[in-house]
Amino acid sequence: MNAILTAIGYQSWILHALIWLPVLGMGLVLWVEEERAKTVAFWWSLGVFVLSLGLWWVFDPNSGAMQLQTSAPWIPAWGINYSLGVDGISLFMVLLTTFTSVAAILGSFNYVKQRQRAFYALMLMLEAAVVGVFCATDLFLFYVFFELSLVPMYFIVGIWGGERRIYAAIKFFLFTALGSLLMLVGILYLFFKAKALLGVPTFAYADLLQVPLTLHEQIWLFSAFALAFAVKVPIFPLHTWLPDAHVEAPTPGSVVLAAVLLKMGTYGFFRFVLPLFPGAAMQPTVVTVMLTLGIAGIIYTAWVAAVQPDAKKLVAYTSVAHMGFVVIGVFALTVNGLQGGLMVMISHGLSTGALFLLLGMMYERRHTRLIDAFGGIGRVTPWFATAFVITALASIGLPGTSGFVGEFLALLGTFETHKIMAGFAATGVIFAAYYMLPMVQKVFYNPLDKPESRAMKDLSHREIAILAPMVALMILIGWYPTPILRRMEPSVRAVIERVESATPAATATSEPSTAPAPNPTTDLAEAREPSAARRSPGEAVDASPGTRDHGAHDAAHPMTRTTS
């Protein structure tokens, strides 16, 4: 397969295609007749997903550097480039986005009845923007895609949502947009700092990694970036916009919001917050605050979810709890913790996306989401009950499902450095069973005493086609996560090395160091244009990966040792 992909030059154009093909499909959807819009959108998104699968084969699992890089000048006067690339952190977010887009569009066929061309065009626009977020290696380009993703989701919630859709859409937009403004200020600060140091304007991620910052500067910039991403995650107590957005959004909007949009926030911590501000990220106060907020989100939202009468609102609160596991995994600052956080992101995208699809299918049949309105429907809808139970068990982290792999590694990584914090976070697994299993019991296994429930139809062929791949992946990843862990581990180790090696220089003095900080993505140095312009033709580039002994991590990481 790799030879075939190389023969067609796949590596040189695939990232462009994954961003711009959905934009082209958006125009096509707006051009065709109203009744054909959903069919065109589905087949187009399916084609994009099939193309994205080649990333699995062309990606080098032994490298932690950026791969498939491409760059072209966009606004040369400001050093802004259209630069793309993926590593082991962003690879799976891209695949999750293209996969989820297909499922969400196919799942909306019976839900969206009006303004279909506009709806499916916005869904494709959203896919393009989110893929751009995960592929951008220029901070200005990243910010453009990050903000662009707000536009289609705002209209999807505000036009096709429920009764309080306007309130939910405005609240979603204001929360995320205001947080992003602080990040923009931080990006501009780094830009001017880099320009003064390098002598040329640049927003390139690899160049900004080289900018020396005092600890004081790092803490302020960390706060600006972290707040923007914390709102997007969302982290407790900035989570209040999420339940409203989920409840009022149409089913496909909830699926994409849970599966990929929330991941833009946690991805920001992996990609920018830790590597750019390692000194601040290692500060004990900062780590304690972030771990505390993550644990508070796990426990508090689990309790709130347990008393929700609306099944969709219950699942919405569980998203905050799941993202809390990602936060503690990130700020455990261990290989296990970061890999666990990434696995939770993947598993949450599958399980929670599938839960929202299942709840949407229930709503299409009964026009209610109240848990008590159902009862015993497993007797008349066995396939529906099977899919829901497997998905619910994956959501709460049952061993043998994808949810267990991520939560186990996140807790293991946290236990390595913060044992008491890990103990508190582990209670979230118990609370997850407390809020999820009673809902399953009431909906599927209580007495079948309602006439409406007796008349419910089981899954259709279209619905089985949507759910079967998602359920299969939950089980496959749960039993055999090694190929995924192997591909993400080098990039995760690069982030850890960046944080640990840069910490002494960042904390020892209040003045900028004269030597640039180590760069975890050393191959990026070869591609960034300003740096290339400053090197002489024969000058070598130092691409040493780092020399720290990772034996301790190796011994504590049994799930990846066999493949490293």
Side-chain angles (χ1 to χ4, degrees):
M1 179 62 73
N2 204 346
I4 297 174
L5 296 173
T6 302
I8 62 174
Y10 181 87
Q11 295 92 328
S12 63
W13 53 261
I14 182 56
L15 297 185
H16 301 290
L18 295 181
I19 294 174
W20 294 108
L21 280 179
V23 176
L24 183 60
M26 175 184 172
L28 185 61
V29 166
L30 292 173
W31 179 72
V32 301
E33 298 83 358
E34 188 82 8
E35 59 273 12
R36 293 185 57 200
K38 62 184 180 183
T39 304
V40 172
F42 165 70
W43 287 108
W44 198 270
S45 63
L46 181 62
V48 174
F49 169 63
V50 171
L51 280 176
S52 71
L53 290 176
L55 293 173
W56 180 268
W57 286 278
V58 301
F59 186 84
D60 180 5
N62 299 312
S63 173
M66 282 287 177
Q67 302 180 38
L68 310 180
Q69 292 184 92
T70 179
S71 182
W74 182 16
I75 309 176
W78 284 87
I80 299 172
N81 294 309
Y82 173 72
S83 301
L84 306 174
V86 292
D87 65 353
I89 295 173
S90 56
L91 170 68
F92 297 102
M93 295 299 101
V94 173
L95 293 174
L96 183 64
T97 301
T98 57
F99 173 74
T100 304
S101 297
V102 179
I105 290 174
L106 186 57
S108 66
F109 275 22
N110 291 341
Y111 197 99
V112 177
K113 302 294 186 182
Q114 298 178 341
R115 300 176 181 175
Q116 295 186 41
R117 287 189 300 179
F119 176 83
Y120 292 108
L122 288 171
M123 288 292 290
L124 291 171
M125 177 182 177
L126 184 59
E127 180 182 9
V130 175
V131 172
V133 166
F134 295 135
C135 292
T137 57
D138 181 283
L139 262 70
F140 186 87
L141 183 66
F142 166 81
Y143 185 79
V144 169
F145 283 127
F146 193 84
E147 292 296 278
L148 182 61
S149 66
L150 297 180
V151 177
M153 182 54 68
Y154 172 79
F155 286 111
I156 288 171
V157 176
I159 297 176
W160 292 273
E163 293 181 0
R164 301 176 70 238
R165 59 185 179 274
I166 302 299
Y167 166 78
I170 292 175
K171 189 175 183 180
F172 158 75
F173 191 90
L174 289 179
F175 264 72
T176 51
L178 289 176
S180 300
L181 288 177
L182 291 175
M183 181 175 63
L184 178 60
V185 173
I187 291 173
L188 292 176
Y189 184 92
L190 288 173
F191 167 77
F192 287 110
K193 189 92 173 177
K195 184 178 180 182
L197 176 70
L198 304 176
V200 292
T202 177
F203 282 94
Y205 174 64
D207 284 330
L208 298 184
L209 282 173
Q210 305 297 328
V211 176
L213 298 168
T214 67
L215 181 60
H216 183 74
E217 288 175 315
Q218 288 196 42
I219 290 175
W220 280 104
L221 291 170
F222 175 97
S223 301
F225 276 74
L227 182 60
F229 296 135
V231 172
K232 182 71 76 173
V233 170
I235 294 176
F236 174 89
L238 303 172
H239 67 284
T240 58
W241 64 267
L242 183 62
D244 291 319
H246 269 314
V247 170
E248 301 303 325
T251 296
S254 294
V255 172
V256 175
L257 179 60
V260 293
L261 285 190
L262 303 188
K263 311 307 182 294
M264 289 163 52
T266 48
Y267 172 79
F269 282 103
F270 282 95
R271 172 65 66 232
F272 301 108
V273 174
L274 296 187
L276 287 173
F277 318 116
M282 286 288 285
Q283 282 293 298
T285 302
V286 172
V287 172
T288 301
V289 168
M290 296 305 297
L291 288 175
T292 301
L293 292 178
I295 294 170
I298 293 171
I299 298 175
Y300 170 76
T301 54
W303 289 348
V304 174
V307 298
Q308 295 302 316
D310 186 320
K312 194 174 185 183
K313 200 163 191 176
L314 184 153
V315 176
Y317 276 107
T318 68
S319 289
V320 183
H322 283 106
M323 292 299 98
F325 281 102
V326 181
V327 173
I328 67 169
V330 170
F331 286 93
L333 298 175
T334 61
V335 173
N336 284 326
L338 265 67
Q339 283 195 291
L342 283 169
M343 290 299 295
V344 171
M345 290 162 65
I346 296 170
S347 175
H348 175 263
L350 295 172
S351 62
T352 305
L355 281 174
F356 279 122
L357 284 167
L358 286 160
L359 292 175
M361 295 168 188
M362 291 170 59
Y363 184 81
E364 291 171 8
R365 289 162 169 78
R366 290 285 311 280
H367 300 289
T368 180
R369 294 188 296 263
L370 295 178
I371 296 172
D372 291 337
F374 299 89
I377 64 174
R379 293 176 175 83
V380 294
T381 58
W383 287 108
F384 202 114
T386 301
F388 201 105
V389 170
I390 294 175
T391 304
L393 293 177
S395 179
I396 65 177
L398 181 76
T401 65
S402 58
F404 174 77
V405 177
E407 291 181 7
F408 173 76
L409 285 176
L411 290 171
L412 178 62
T414 307
F415 187 81
E416 292 175 19
T417 53
H418 301 85
K419 292 179 174 58
I420 296 177
M421 292 284 194
F424 280 111
T427 63
V429 178
I430 301 172
F431 297 137
Y434 177 66
Y435 62 66
M436 188 64 73
L437 296 184
M439 179 186 70
V440 173
Q441 172 70 33
K442 293 177 182 179
V443 172
F444 292 98
Y445 300 110
N446 272 4
L448 186 63
D449 55 1
K450 297 178 177 62
E452 300 89 347
S453 297
R454 294 179 183 273
M456 276 193 66
K457 295 181 179 180
D458 208 350
L459 295 176
S460 66
H461 294 299
R462 176 183 63 87
E463 291 166 338
I464 292 175
I466 298 169
L467 295 170
M470 304 181 83
V471 171
L473 284 171
M474 294 175 211
I475 297 174
L476 178 62
I477 295 173
W479 282 98
Y480 190 54
T482 302
I484 296 177
L485 293 171
R486 182 189 175 201
R487 283 165 171 78
M488 65 174 60
E489 183 178 3
S491 297
V492 167
R493 287 193 179 278
V495 172
I496 295 296
E497 289 177 3
R498 164 75 183 183
V499 172
E500 294 184 350
S501 62
T503 298
T507 57
T509 179
S510 61
E511 294 299 325
S513 171
T514 56
N519 184 357
T521 53
T522 52
D523 288 356
L524 265 175
E526 300 178 8
R528 62 183 194 271
E529 293 188 3
S531 298
R534 291 191 300 274
R535 288 200 304 267
S536 62
E539 185 178 349
V541 180
D542 181 12
S544 58
T547 58
R548 197 176 70 85
D549 183 12
H550 288 279
H553 284 309
D554 292 348
H557 205 305
M559 305 188 82
T560 59
R561 289 310 96 222
T562 58
T563 59
S564 296

